[in-house]
Amino acid sequence: MDNKCIFNPNSLNVNRLPYKSVQAPIISERVPYREQSLLVCDENKDIFVKRPDACEKASGLSGIRRLTNNIRNYIRSYKQNVKHTYDHKLVFALVEKELFGKTSIDSLTHDADKMILYLLGFPKSFVSKYHRTNSVHHTESGKNMNLRSMLCDNIASSPEFKPEKKKSLREHFSTSKELQSVVGFKELLEKYNFGENLDFEKIKAMKAQRYDGFKGIGKVALRILVAFISM
């Protein structure tokens, strides 16, 4: 005998949970369509939950790493600023010796304020501004200019000793209204031919031979100390 099965649609998926209808929010017919859609979204706003950004919770190690990098960069720039100022002091003294046959107290005290402020940990922006507004070889100070110190400082700041400088002293003076306004400085520059007669390679060699390294630093420090005691 043939058995025929009659499927009851209610008997399918008997393990499935009973269907529960979700009642749509009651919206007044007077509410415009755009506002109705906003109401529906507001009613179902807790259905989708935004996953929190991992970076908001995992900033511990990255924060420590960032702080370490900042400290490392500060120490690196600190050492560069001190060395840059020290090298410039040496070149200033050697330039003065080559031009005038001897060094003056200016070669010992030149940029000493910058060295002290850098050693105390002040940032370069503050040190540079303070130095230029308080030194008699910078026009920003508004003081009576020390022309001899100005001459040696500008020659020691030429591209031969500071590669970051792109203009020679002659070119720089031709475009600098500040330097041109200093009475007597143009005549002094022309008298010494803008320092172009100096043997720059000789000055570099003397600096490397006499004053580089810890021995050279000690020698310079001793000379500065003796000069201040004798003043």
Side-chain angles (χ1 to χ4, degrees), residues 69-79 118 120-123:
N69 290 335
N70 290 338
I71 294 175
R72 186 181 296 112
N73 292 335
Y74 173 80
I75 294 175
R76 185 183 298 113
S77 62
Y78 168 83
K79 292 170 62 177
Y118 278 138
L120 291 176
F122 285 92

Side-chain angles (χ1 to χ4, degrees), residues 171-199:
E171 294 170 337
H172 176 58
F173 180 80
S174 65
T175 58
S176 175
K177 300 299 182 182
E178 292 79 8
L179 294 181
Q180 294 174 10
S181 65
V182 179
V183 178
F185 189 53
K186 179 181 179 181
E187 291 74 16
L188 188 64
L189 286 171
E190 292 175 346
K191 178 181 178 180
Y192 291 96
N193 196 29
F194 292 83
E196 294 172 358
N197 295 338
L198 292 176
D199 188 342

Side-chain angles (χ1 to χ4, degrees), residues 136-147:
V136 294
H137 56 274
H138 287 295
T139 57
E140 292 90 334
S141 66
K143 302 179 181 180
N144 292 328
M145 295 292 96
N146 184 328
L147 298 183

Side-chain angles (χ1 to χ4, degrees), residues 16-67:
R16 186 180 64 182
L17 294 176
Y19 175 79
K20 183 179 180 181
S21 62
V22 179
Q23 184 178 1
I26 301 175
I27 303 174
S28 173
E29 296 179 356
R30 297 182 180 180
V31 180
Y33 176 77
R34 176 175 175 80
E35 296 185 11
Q36 290 182 19
S37 61
L38 294 176
L39 289 174
V40 172
C41 292
D42 184 68
E43 188 75 13
N44 300 322
K45 65 182 180 180
D46 59 340
I47 295 178
F48 300 101
V49 180
K50 181 182 177 182
R51 179 179 296 177
D53 189 357
C55 296
E56 296 178 359
K57 300 295 183 180
S59 61
L61 292 177
S62 61
I64 295 174
R65 189 178 298 110
R66 191 181 306 112
L67 177 61

